[in-house]
Amino acid sequence: MPTASENALFGMGNPLLDISAVVDKDFLDKYGLKPNDQILAEDNHKALFEEIVKKSHVEYHAGGATQNSVKIAQWMLQEPHKVGTFFGCIGEDRFGEILKQKAREAHVDAHYYEQNSEPTGTCAACITGDNRSLVANLAAANCYKKEKHLDLESNWELVQKAKVYYIAGFFLTVSPESILKVAKHVSDNNKVFCMNLSAPFISQFFKEDLMKIMPYVDVLFGNETEAATFAKEQGFKTEDIAQIARDCQNLPKQNEKRRRVVVFTQGKDDTVATVGDKVTTFPVVDIDQSAIVDTNGAGDAFVGGFLSQLVVESPLEECIRAGHYAANVIIQRVGCTFPEKPDFH
């Protein structure tokens, strides 16, 4: 088995400080939130951020989908430190300092573009039972600039060092030109580019940018809701998740040396993945419902576990098993947090 090397995994996305709290249905209704959703904050959500920090049990965690996944991959691998590189934009403020500190603690090689026109982004995780409604106020995360950061020689060298790349669909709302530059490099050098559908609104409102990147995608992640929305938006004539996976696999592809792999998680139901010409299901780890503390971050954790094995060139089945393991650990804890060491063999 190859071992992981420093900066072998590259991630780029929206670094956010997660603010999570248990709320009630009235709170969700007040701000027009669905129990299980991800949305971008609008003007009517400004007060939500002020209100949620006053709740009795508020927790702050370094977040943002891609950053979470890179952090989990690093945790799964343990050694060496800094297997994962992460790029994103933060503000020059206290929340930004917390994100830098948390990245260091997680042994992730984070290189943030720091600016002072916008504060560090936050994400309110409004938890009711085992549902979570996420409201992201991107703020600084929205200010990432290709020419100010990605194009700098020292940063681009880090991009070139990697073998596996992961960018969540969320970053399409910020810098599609940065994603395209990375994706082209990956394709031209026959490396592995992974992307996530991330949320229904990405397939609906950022369709054009998403489909510009799709030909470069070697591994596509998503959950059952995102898959269904993507299929509908693309005019696939099916609601069957296995068929949607196959249809996604067959979309045009730039680097024909690699067959696209499509992986759709379905919460507690089996994960669906394309394996060559077949679509196979993989059962998740059994868990007692009462052991579930917080499903926020389960999808990010699955991807992180998967990437940890992809970096060391494990077969697909092992990547999925690692994804299931990581997600199982995360849902038994608050936020995207983990014990000191994994117990994955």
Side-chain angles (χ1 to χ4, degrees):
M1 280 284 285
T3 51
S5 54
E6 228 175 79
N7 304 113
L9 172 64
F10 175 82
M12 180 166 61
N14 300 331
L16 304 173
L17 192 71
D18 282 347
I19 306 169
S20 62
V22 174
V23 301
D24 54 21
K25 189 179 176 301
D26 291 345
F27 183 91
L28 296 182
D29 292 345
K30 180 177 174 181
Y31 294 106
L33 304 178
K34 295 176 191 158
N36 221 11
D37 201 10
Q38 304 101 308
I39 62 165
L40 293 178
E42 293 174 25
D43 287 344
N44 58 321
H45 297 118
K46 288 272 194 296
L48 179 152
F49 288 88
E50 290 160 22
E51 190 176 337
I52 199 166
V53 296
K54 295 181 183 135
K55 296 273 172 204
S56 53
H57 294 288
V58 185
E59 300 218 10
Y60 293 90
H61 299 286
T66 303
Q67 186 166 242
N68 281 343
S69 296
V70 171
K71 209 188 311 176
I72 297 273
Q74 179 68 54
W75 170 70
M76 289 284 287
L77 289 162
Q78 293 283 308
E79 299 287 333
H81 290 168
K82 298 188 175 179
V83 171
T85 313
F86 178 76
F87 287 5
C89 182
I90 59 175
E92 294 172 353
D93 51 27
R94 186 172 72 88
F95 282 177
E97 289 304 317
I98 294 174
L99 284 184
K100 286 196 279 191
Q101 178 58 33
K102 296 282 188 191
R104 282 194 293 273
E105 287 169 9
H107 307 301
V108 168
D109 196 13
H111 293 256
Y112 297 116
Y113 168 48
E114 297 181 48
Q115 49 72 59
N116 54 20
S117 59
E118 284 281 345
T120 297
T122 48
C123 178
C126 311
I127 299 166
T128 51
D130 50 15
N131 285 321
R132 53 99 186 100
S133 196
L134 306 180
V135 185
N137 180 25
L138 296 184
N142 219 7
C143 301
Y144 189 83
K145 297 277 183 289
K146 174 178 163 290
E147 60 286 356
K148 293 266 180 73
H149 195 261
L150 185 69
D151 293 346
L152 301 184
E153 197 177 332
S154 59
N155 288 335
W156 187 248
E157 279 172 7
L158 286 169
V159 175
Q160 292 172 310
K161 259 180 97 171
K163 296 190 300 191
V164 172
Y165 299 74
Y166 174 63
I167 300 176
F170 290 124
F171 201 57
L172 285 165
T173 75
V174 173
S175 186
E177 60 283 359
S178 295
I179 304 177
L180 198 56
K181 180 176 180 176
V182 172
K184 283 181 172 164
H185 163 78
V186 179
S187 177
D188 292 346
N189 292 278
N190 194 29
K191 298 194 276 190
V192 185
F193 185 78
C194 311
M195 192 151 195
N196 202 316
L197 294 174
S198 291
F201 79 85
I202 299 292
S203 295
Q204 292 167 312
F205 308 118
F206 295 88
K207 194 188 309 192
E208 201 177 311
D209 285 323
L210 175 61
M211 295 321 285
K212 273 186 200 147
I213 307 295
M214 196 58 76
Y216 300 97
V217 177
D218 297 303
V219 182
L220 180 68
F221 297 104
N223 66 23
E224 72 279 35
T225 321
E226 294 148 11
T229 305
F230 180 77
K232 192 173 161 203
E233 291 296 325
Q234 292 302 315
F236 295 170
K237 298 280 185 274
T238 181
E239 289 178 11
D240 175 66
I241 190 130
Q243 187 56 48
I244 295 171
R246 198 176 283 112
D247 290 348
C248 288
Q249 183 183 38
N250 293 331
L251 288 166
K253 183 128 183 356
Q254 191 72 26
N255 175 12
E256 291 175 351
K257 295 190 196 101
R258 291 182 187 277
R259 185 94 191 261
R260 182 179 294 123
V261 173
V262 181
V263 185
F264 291 145
T265 56
Q266 307 189 82
K268 60 182 184 301
D269 296 328
D270 293 0
T271 293
V272 171
T274 59
V275 183
D277 289 329
K278 293 197 199 62
V279 177
T280 309
T281 56
F282 298 86
V284 301
V285 184
D286 270 340
I287 184 169
D288 191 328
Q289 287 302 107
S290 64
I292 298 175
V293 175
D294 174 8
T295 55
N296 186 22
D300 299 339
F302 173 84
V303 171
F306 187 103
L307 294 172
S308 74
Q309 296 306 300
L310 193 58
V311 165
V312 294
E313 296 171 31
S314 297
L316 178 68
E317 292 74 6
E318 276 303 285
C319 295
I320 290 174
R321 194 169 73 84
H324 286 163
Y325 167 79
N328 180 266
V329 170
I330 295 307
I331 60 178
Q332 297 181 61
R333 304 168 67 90
V334 173
C336 199
T337 62
F338 34 82
E340 192 186 343
K341 285 198 160 57
D343 181 24
F344 177 77
H345 307 289

